[in-house]
Amino acid sequence: MYVRVVKRAFDIAFSIIALPLVLLALAVLAPAIHREDKGPVFYNAPRVGKDGRPFIMYKLRSMRVNAPDLLMDDGSTYNGADDPRMTRVGTFMRKTSLDELPQVLNVLKGDMSLIGPRPDLQREVDLYQGDEGRKLEVKPGITGYAAVYGRNSLPWHERLALDVHYVDHVSFLLDARIFFRTFAVVLGQEGIYVEDGSEPAAASEAASAGESATAAIKEDASCSPAKGQRP
């Protein structure tokens, strides 16, 4: 009853209330994003949703156009403080989570919920182990249990375990706790990046070959989306 009716009602109400504020923020951020490198403002991110259904997750583009996809050893996408793919505006948006604002539209459409596991790429879903695929039993969220209790500072499979924990314990009280803790996490800029010392395998290989990710992303880029863009 809660997940199918009450939770959806809260999602719609939240989206309608938040939409004017989101549009106001976009009016400020969109020109800054485009001005920096003349690339597109939005990044339409393919993700896997509830029951394995693919959908497009909306984000403000925080990476350079044609940025390469850097992977960790566990197959997850690299997300570090020294990520050379980030634009200056993108670095600010990533720290403040403002790049996620367009996902209010995903919530309104029904692709996502306000609270739920963060959605993964199909190639990441293909790497799930054991019961990790159970995270797909609920709609993905803008914020979630793993996002406020560790976020990117946790190894990927530990985050997946927290996602499954959420699926098993989803309730109004848990969602309320996650919602309010999100403000503390975002304002405190907790867990934004992988732990210090973690290095993407792709970056290591490029370095040994005498090439860096920074050089790769400085190639001429028209207006195609940033391939490595992640939440």
Side-chain angles (χ1 to χ4, degrees):
M1 175 67 175
Y2 169 69
V3 173
R4 288 186 292 105
V5 179
V6 179
K7 187 174 173 71
R8 179 58 184 156
F10 275 117
D11 284 343
I12 294 173
F14 169 82
S15 300
I16 293 173
I17 293 171
L19 196 54
L21 298 177
V22 170
L23 294 176
L24 180 62
L26 294 184
V28 175
L29 293 170
I33 295 169
H34 181 70
R35 187 181 304 118
E36 181 164 349
D37 61 5
K38 308 304 180 186
V41 171
F42 296 98
Y43 171 59
N44 296 326
R47 292 292 186 268
V48 178
K50 185 178 184 295
D51 299 325
R53 290 192 295 268
F55 73 100
I56 297 298
M57 183 180 74
Y58 307 126
K59 290 175 62 74
L60 290 174
R61 182 174 60 87
S62 60
M63 292 186 182
R64 301 179 188 275
V65 175
N66 286 335
D69 196 5
L70 303 183
L71 305 181
M72 301 295 291
D73 288 336
D74 60 9
S76 61
T77 299
Y78 179 67
N79 189 349
D82 59 346
D83 194 335
R85 302 170 298 171
M86 303 293 292
T87 62
R88 291 189 300 274
V89 176
T91 298
F92 167 74
M93 293 192 300
R94 184 65 60 89
K95 287 182 177 179
T96 56
S97 297
L98 291 174
D99 56 327
E100 313 290 357
L101 286 178
Q103 288 157 43
V104 167
L105 296 176
N106 287 117
V107 174
L108 194 58
K109 287 173 58 181
D111 297 326
M112 298 177 64
S113 178
L114 173 61
I115 312 292
R118 288 297 292 164
D120 289 323
L121 294 158
Q122 182 60 58
R123 63 165 176 77
E124 292 173 322
V125 172
D126 294 340
L127 296 175
Y128 286 171
Q129 301 172 1
D131 65 350
E132 291 172 348
R134 293 193 56 229
K135 72 173 284 184
L136 302 178
E137 293 177 9
V138 298
K139 288 182 181 180
I142 297 179
T143 185
Y145 191 71
V148 299
Y149 289 103
R151 209 173 175 182
N152 292 316
S153 64
L154 292 177
W156 182 46
H157 287 288
E158 288 187 23
R159 300 200 304 268
L160 291 175
L162 292 180
D163 288 337
V164 174
H165 175 85
Y166 172 80
V167 171
D168 289 335
H169 298 86
V170 58
S171 66
F172 172 76
L173 290 179
L174 180 57
D175 279 358
R177 196 171 89 195
I178 293 170
F179 177 79
F180 289 110
R181 179 165 171 75
T182 297
F183 293 98
V185 170
V186 172
L187 293 176
Q189 297 185 3
E190 299 176 18
I192 301 172
Y193 305 116
V194 296
E195 291 289 351
D196 292 340
S198 299
E199 184 176 338
S204 301
E205 293 168 3
S208 64
E211 301 175 12
S212 68
T214 305
I217 60 179
K218 287 183 178 178
E219 297 178 356
D220 180 51
S222 54
C223 285
S224 58
K227 294 183 290 184
Q229 183 90 24
R230 275 287 288 168

